[in-house]
Amino acid sequence: MITTKLLMIDDEESFVSALSKRLALRDIEVVPAHSGQEGLNKLDEDPSIEVVLLDVKMPGMDGIETLRLIKGAHPIAEVIMLTGHATFETAIDGMKLGAFDYLMKPCEIDELTTKLDAARKRHQEHLDKILEATGKQLRGQRAR
Amino acid sequence: MNSSEKTTDSYYRSLTRNIVLIIVGVSVVPLILITLTIRHFSQTSYQDKVIEHLQVLNKKHKQNIDSFLRERLADITVMKDSYTLDQLANNDFLKEKLQSLQKNSSDALVDLGIVNDQGIQIAYAGPYDLKRAHYAEAPWFKEAIQQPSYISDVFPGLRGIPHFIVAVRGSDNGRQWLLRATVDFDKFNSLVENIRIGETGFAFILNKKGEFQTKPRTEVPPLKDPYLNFLSPDTRDNEQEGIVSNSQVDGKGVIHVMSRLKNGDWVLAFQQTESDAYKALYLVRTVSVLIFFVGVIGIIVVAVLLSKRLVKRIRQADQEKEMMTEKFIEAGKLASVGELAAGIAHEINNPVAVMLEEAGWMQDLITDAGPESIPMVDEFQRSLAQIKAQGVRCKQITHKLLSFARKTDPIPKKVNVNDITREAISLCEQRVRSGSVKIQAQFADGLPTIRVSPSEAQQIFINLINNAIDAIEPKGGAVKISTRQEGDFLVVDVADNGPGIPSYVLPRIFDPFFTTKPVGKGTGLGLSICYGIVKKLGGDISVNTAEGMGTTFHVKFPIPKAREEKTGH
């Protein structure tokens, strides 16, 4: 079973901890972060993070701003927006900014895992392409 | 009628009364002032005019009478100077002279006589037999013999009819004699008697004793005081002529105009009642009073009618304002309820999410540990499932609450109502696929586009169609959706043939959180959301319903004017 490494950014700590335990059962390793800035720092520290679950409505830096910064620093990290109903439009805006998908809070665990899986796969594809390109480059260098 | 209506009634009544009073006051007070002022000045000037006229008349007649008397005196003075006593003592000569005098003075003199210093008439010419008459004791003689010329008061004398005489004194060798002539009383009287002014105005002459020197035309009022005062020595030095005094006779005002005659021995008096003298003035006064009252009545009638109409309009405007205020309150209520709902929903959403996750976690744990190893695992499973189900229910409620208040894409676009409605129907059709409910659409062609937010418009139709389906669901039936144009509005009708809305429910259907659906089925927000959206767009939503006959909702959207549409794009 492939383990997914997930960064979860949400100011609701009990939500993060409850969800983390459940996801851990489903072979998903969760790195918790409780603010946008903390999430960005964790992302910088750990390049193995594949997918980000990002709450839209947070005190301080909100989800959209965080997303913009993530996409700037880590373009191939896939981001799933987690939204309350009231911020539904914002989540759509997030997708325009390059988020992979969005989910309504509270969410079904199966739906979440499905989406996480899809996101991880896409991240993997990107990664493979990059590796392939790097490989080609390396091979080209050797041939010369 | 309840008490609040009574108070408003009395409010409008007092408003009417105030307006009437103001109009009447503002128009009548100046009217009164103008009328009084004009009346005062016209009265004064008219009275001055009348009195001036009387004074001029009086003066003219005084001159006439004075000159008449002077002429008579001059006649005999000339005779006395022209002839000797011997000549005059001749009766025939005297007769001849009398005739020539009478010819010249149009019979003003009745007779002539020569009286010696003994008072014996030594010669006489005239119609009476007065030769040798003795005048020694006559008062006039006593006075006349003292003066060069003399005019007597009127007296009956020897002939027994009122007359007066003029006399001049001559002297013959130191002996005094008098040439006397009798003035024709009728002739003299006619000088005065013919002076008539108006109906009650007439002239007369009084002597110092208050005796008439002329025949008064009518009975002169008993009060002669003004005339006697006028003639009294106290006022004699006072050269004033034509003094006017007003006195009351039998309650009537009387005007007196007086001037002195015969060196102040007589007074020529004019007398006229005020009512006669000022007849024209009184007529004008009566007419103006009449006009004034007619005018005031007119003003009052107009003021009452006008203010009644005015207050009626104000009342209507007030009622309209009240209705508007009620609508504003309704809209404000909706807005604040929306905000409250959004706040609550948001706060509840997160704890519910946590609870659901925790329940999920417990289920995960059970699955992980193997259900057989846990006692009463079925009960745990059932309980967790219940927690999850109720949590999901909470989620649905909060989501509906949030959609009630959330700002869906509010940007209005040019949309075709038919398209929007069709989409809404297709979204609802999932629900009816299994049931016995039919949805029929009846769209009018060539409808103008309207400017609304598509998501908001869709929300309205989804809500209405869902309500309609709910209404007919258990028994089955049809939902009919039709679009049409009605004046400046596009109307979408959503009709069902369900049981209808009971009349006691009807007034509350647009209230937030009001629902007739069972707990867990409806939030009571659908119709109030629709109401809010439609009102915001400047449209209207109304309902036709009868119990057992079904319900029809009419949604009216305003059609934008052509010009607005152009500038909007």
Side-chain angles (χ1 to χ4, degrees):
Chain A
M1 192 99 199
I2 309 147
T3 315
T4 308
K5 198 156 191 183
L6 171 73
L7 172 66
M8 190 169 170
I9 309 173
D10 195 324
D11 59 312
E12 191 81 32
E13 287 178 33
S14 44
F15 182 69
V16 174
S17 66
L19 200 55
S20 302
K21 284 186 277 182
R22 298 191 72 191
L23 289 173
L25 279 183
R26 288 162 178 81
D27 294 322
I28 295 164
E29 189 191 338
V30 176
V31 179
H34 299 115
S35 73
Q37 191 53 55
E38 195 187 341
L40 275 171
N41 295 342
K42 294 252 164 90
L43 209 54
D44 287 341
E45 288 162 17
D46 190 348
S48 64
I49 291 170
E50 298 165 290
V51 183
V52 181
L53 188 63
L54 178 60
D55 189 24
V56 173
K57 199 167 184 288
M58 283 186 296
M61 189 159 63
D62 72 355
I64 292 294
E65 188 56 32
T66 314
L67 174 67
R68 192 174 286 124
L69 293 173
I70 290 172
K71 280 286 159 186
H74 310 277
I76 61 162
E78 291 300 336
V79 179
I80 294 173
M81 311 286 289
L82 192 60
T83 170
H85 198 279
T87 47
F88 170 79
E89 274 79 21
T90 330
I92 307 284
D93 289 346
M95 295 198 44
K96 285 175 194 157
L97 279 171
F100 176 74
D101 205 344
Y102 70 91
L103 271 170
M104 291 278 206
K105 207 179 185 180
C107 52
E108 288 289 324
I109 191 81
D110 295 339
E111 204 184 348
L112 176 61
T113 48
T114 316
K115 282 195 174 158
L116 284 177
D117 216 33
R120 189 196 57 81
K121 271 183 188 145
R122 201 161 109 181
H123 176 75
Q124 199 56 55
E125 277 166 28
H126 281 294
L127 214 58
D128 287 350
K129 272 183 197 164
I130 290 166
L131 285 175
E132 201 178 314
T134 325
K136 265 184 192 166
Q137 212 173 3
L138 286 173
R139 273 197 297 277
Q141 274 172 359
R142 209 174 295 162
R144 207 178 290 160
Chain B
M1 194 185 276
N2 61 35
S3 67
S4 81
E5 266 174 64
K6 259 181 202 162
T7 38
T8 53
D9 263 8
S10 74
Y11 164 72
Y12 288 114
R13 259 204 303 279
S14 78
L15 190 66
T16 315
R17 198 174 52 232
N18 288 348
I19 295 172
V20 169
L21 287 180
I22 287 168
I23 294 176
V24 170
V26 164
S27 15
V28 169
V29 168
L31 195 66
I32 290 173
L33 290 177
I34 289 171
T35 311
L36 288 181
T37 314
I38 289 178
R39 191 180 146 145
H40 172 75
F41 284 110
S42 65
Q43 182 170 332
T44 324
S45 67
Y46 185 82
Q47 285 176 348
D48 287 351
K49 263 270 158 352
V50 166
I51 284 162
E52 199 184 325
H53 170 71
L54 289 176
Q55 281 173 325
V56 167
L57 209 66
N58 186 285
K59 198 171 178 184
K60 212 178 85 195
H61 284 95
K62 168 201 144 79
Q63 282 164 355
N64 277 354
I65 293 162
D66 267 347
S67 67
F68 175 86
L69 292 174
R70 245 194 333 269
E71 273 169 33
R72 301 291 81 77
L73 209 54
D75 285 346
I76 55 171
T77 308
V78 167
M79 201 187 289
K80 177 211 78 172
D81 290 346
S82 308
Y83 310 104
T84 62
L85 177 64
D86 293 337
Q87 283 177 302
L88 291 170
N90 182 328
N91 270 344
D92 292 335
F93 184 78
L94 206 58
K95 202 169 184 174
E96 193 184 312
K97 287 298 144 198
L98 176 66
Q99 276 162 0
S100 78
L101 271 180
Q102 279 174 338
K103 218 176 279 170
N104 289 340
S105 62
S106 52
D107 300 326
L109 292 178
V110 179
D111 58 9
L112 280 174
I114 305 294
V115 181
N116 66 10
D117 57 350
Q118 302 302 310
I120 296 163
Q121 187 152 271
I122 51 174
Y124 175 78
Y128 305 103
D129 181 21
L130 291 173
K131 207 180 167 192
R132 310 308 299 178
H134 282 68
Y135 291 121
E137 293 307 314
W140 70 266
F141 176 77
K142 288 176 184 164
E143 282 193 49
I145 205 73
Q146 310 289 325
Q147 296 164 23
S149 64
Y150 173 73
I151 300 169
S152 78
D153 286 351
V154 174
F155 63 99
L158 292 175
R159 58 197 80 178
I161 53 169
H163 68 287
F164 72 95
I165 56 164
V166 292
V168 287
R169 189 179 65 187
S171 67
D172 179 50
N173 301 325
R175 295 189 59 153
Q176 312 286 326
W177 55 278
L178 292 173
L179 171 58
R180 59 154 281 275
T182 305
V183 178
D184 184 344
F185 183 72
D186 288 336
K187 275 263 152 48
F188 177 70
N189 205 31
S190 70
L191 281 178
V192 176
E193 204 179 31
N194 290 338
I195 307 171
R196 291 188 180 186
I197 311 126
E199 281 176 14
T200 62
F202 63 96
F204 55 88
I205 295 173
L206 282 180
N207 69 3
K208 277 187 195 171
K209 291 171 194 153
E211 292 163 346
F212 285 107
Q213 305 301 302
T214 55
K215 282 191 285 186
R217 194 173 131 235
T218 50
E219 204 44 50
V220 174
L223 101 163
K224 293 172 180 170
D225 297 352
Y227 312 112
L228 296 181
N229 282 344
F230 180 64
L231 287 179
S232 78
D234 301 340
T235 56
R236 196 141 190 186
D237 301 334
N238 196 333
E239 283 295 306
Q240 275 177 310
E241 288 287 319
I243 285 185
V244 175
S245 78
N246 293 29
S247 58
Q248 296 289 317
V249 178
D250 300 339
K252 284 183 192 165
V254 178
I255 304 168
H256 310 280
V257 185
M258 299 168 278
S259 54
R260 294 188 187 86
L261 284 174
K262 219 181 110 198
N263 293 323
D265 286 343
W266 293 354
V267 59
L268 172 65
F270 273 14
Q271 180 172 320
Q272 190 177 14
T273 59
E274 279 181 341
S275 61
D276 185 34
Y278 304 144
K279 201 171 173 183
L281 182 69
Y282 291 152
L283 186 70
V284 168
R285 206 188 267 185
T286 314
V287 169
S288 70
V289 165
L290 213 67
I291 290 172
F292 173 79
F293 279 112
V294 169
V296 168
I297 288 168
I299 288 169
I300 289 171
V301 168
V302 168
V304 167
L305 291 180
L306 208 66
S307 48
K308 273 198 174 157
R309 274 176 75 169
L310 201 66
V311 168
K312 203 174 151 194
R313 290 296 281 273
I314 291 173
R315 197 173 188 156
Q316 277 174 358
D318 282 354
Q319 277 167 352
E320 275 165 30
K321 202 187 89 189
E322 224 162 88
M323 274 165 65
M324 289 289 285
T325 315
E326 261 167 41
K327 278 185 183 170
F328 275 125
I329 290 169
E330 194 73 24
K333 203 164 78 186
L334 268 179
S336 57
V337 166
E339 262 164 49
L340 178 73
I344 291 171
H346 226 104
E347 289 312 309
I348 286 176
N349 209 29
N350 275 328
V352 166
V354 174
M355 281 155 65
L356 279 177
E357 291 312 329
E358 293 289 355
W361 172 234
M362 284 167 79
Q363 207 135 32
D364 289 347
L365 287 178
I366 293 170
T367 318
D368 234 29
E372 320 79 38
S373 64
I374 298 163
M376 293 199 294
V377 71
D378 287 348
E379 267 308 296
F380 278 113
Q381 293 277 28
R382 193 202 56 77
S383 188
L384 284 173
Q386 192 56 239
I387 290 174
K388 203 177 162 192
Q390 298 308 318
V392 168
R393 199 168 135 192
C394 280
K395 181 182 113 175
Q396 278 167 354
I397 292 172
T398 54
H399 282 192
K400 273 190 184 153
L401 273 176
L402 285 167
S403 76
F404 171 58
R406 82 186 171 140
K407 288 153 188 70
T408 44
D409 180 15
I411 300 152
K413 294 192 178 95
K414 226 162 114 177
V415 295
N416 186 319
V417 169
N418 290 353
D419 293 345
I420 296 269
T421 319
R422 201 171 288 125
E423 263 177 63
I425 292 170
S426 72
L427 285 171
C428 297
E429 254 167 359
Q430 296 165 334
R431 274 190 69 193
V432 301
R433 215 162 274 161
S434 53
S436 50
V437 175
K438 275 182 193 154
I439 296 186
Q440 302 162 353
Q442 201 175 60
F443 295 151
D445 290 327
L447 291 178
T449 54
I450 53 170
R451 284 181 63 77
V452 295
S453 150
S455 55
E456 284 182 349
Q458 234 169 46
Q459 211 176 341
I460 295 170
F461 298 130
I462 291 172
N463 270 319
L464 290 179
I465 296 168
N466 274 331
N467 275 350
I469 293 170
D470 285 342
I472 56 180
E473 189 116 69
K475 283 172 134 187
V479 179
K480 216 160 106 184
I481 296 131
S482 54
T483 57
R484 65 197 158 91
Q485 185 173 357
E486 192 183 285
D488 290 340
F489 290 91
L490 270 191
V491 185
V492 181
D493 297 328
V494 180
D496 65 63
N497 54 4
I501 302 172
S503 56
Y504 65 89
V505 168
L506 201 55
R508 301 180 57 197
I509 56 170
F510 293 113
D511 286 357
F513 301 113
F514 177 79
T515 183
T516 56
K517 294 173 188 172
V519 175
K521 273 290 253 180
T523 55
L525 289 170
L527 279 178
S528 64
I529 290 170
C530 294
Y531 186 83
I533 293 172
V534 172
K535 281 286 167 185
K536 191 182 75 189
L537 290 171
D540 195 17
I541 184 165
S542 58
V543 60
N544 271 354
T545 185
E547 268 181 87
M549 300 293 287
T551 307
T552 305
F553 280 91
H554 310 279
V555 188
K556 286 168 98 179
F557 295 103
I559 298 169
K561 303 245 160 44
R563 191 170 48 79
E564 286 171 22
E565 217 174 334
K566 222 176 266 173
T567 53
H569 282 265

